[in-house]
Amino acid sequence: MSQKRTCVLLINGFEEVEALTPVDILRRLGGEVIIAGVEAKEVTGSHGVKVITDKLLSEVDLNDFDALVLPGGLPGSTNLRDSQEVIKLLQQAHSAGKVCAAICAAPIVLRDSGIAKDKNITGYPGTEQLAHDKNFQYTGKDVEQDGNIISGKGMGKAAVFSFAIAKALGFSESEIAAVADGSFITR
């Protein structure tokens, strides 16, 4: 992929580290990242951190992005899962071959959208109980990529998850290594 444009979806109850780490890392790499509020532009995380998003989800055009990122957190993940607008966007993104990434509890959104069927997925310990579906293949790995779906275990693996998204978007190993060492890429 050459555009390297990502949309991170936020809804009340999102996990702050899981949401902002991909934003930070992808922007350091020179990627364009838009934070979209599903229901409002001001969104409150599961630990009380307030974020002002760039756009509302209703203003997002899927054609403008190469990847969608769903942070975990509770009740953020269940709030994402219960949004028909999020489910529809995720299905369209998956059908278009775009990167669909979810971390921690957010893989339940992958499952409920139908795009995780027969896919290897990881998530926080307990995700396998949330799945309740024999077709949801929980691996327990830190990060899992199966086709255009990337999933991450949880907050402690947010950087590794973000690097996997960056690699899927076409950033080079040397660019990713430079950012992992604390550098900014200038284009």
Side-chain angles (χ1 to χ4, degrees):
M1 292 182 180
S2 61
Q3 300 303 319
K4 303 176 186 180
R5 298 170 299 180
T6 303
C7 182
V8 177
L9 302 181
L10 294 190
I11 198 164
N12 285 329
F14 70 92
E15 205 298 322
E16 293 89 341
V17 173
E18 297 165 1
L20 298 178
T21 302
V23 172
D24 184 7
I25 287 174
L26 294 170
R27 285 183 179 171
R28 285 176 189 242
L29 283 163
E32 180 185 344
V33 182
I34 297 296
I35 303 170
V38 174
E39 300 172 335
K41 285 192 84 167
E42 183 177 297
V43 187
T44 304
S46 59
H47 299 98
V49 175
K50 292 186 186 303
V51 173
I52 305 298
T53 64
D54 301 309
K55 293 183 174 192
L56 289 171
L57 182 56
S58 60
E59 301 169 330
V60 169
D61 181 347
L62 183 61
N63 294 318
D64 292 340
F65 299 99
D66 303 293
L68 290 178
V69 177
L70 308 176
L74 290 172
S77 295
T78 54
N79 290 341
L80 287 170
R81 179 198 64 199
D82 294 343
S83 168
Q84 287 306 305
E85 191 176 14
V86 170
I87 295 293
K88 182 179 175 185
L89 185 68
L90 192 57
Q91 291 167 336
Q92 291 170 342
H94 180 66
S95 292
K98 296 177 186 291
V99 174
C100 298
I103 187 169
C104 195
I108 64 171
V109 187
L110 302 175
R111 183 216 51 217
D112 287 0
S113 70
I115 71 170
K117 185 174 181 178
D118 299 325
K119 298 287 185 183
N120 292 319
I121 302 291
T122 195
Y124 81 96
T127 303
E128 68 276 19
Q129 280 79 33
L130 288 172
H132 299 298
D133 186 335
K134 65 181 178 161
N135 293 316
F136 188 82
Q137 306 300 318
Y138 178 80
T139 67
K141 293 181 180 177
D142 291 345
V143 174
E144 186 71 62
Q145 181 168 0
D146 192 338
N148 63 326
I149 296 176
I150 298 172
S151 52
K153 196 164 194 173
M155 184 273 298
K157 302 303 178 185
V160 177
F161 171 71
S162 301
F163 295 139
I165 295 166
K167 185 175 180 183
L169 287 170
F171 289 102
S172 72
E173 292 288 339
S174 62
E175 289 173 311
I176 293 168
V179 168
D181 289 338
S183 299
F184 287 84
I185 304 296
T186 56
R187 296 193 184 275

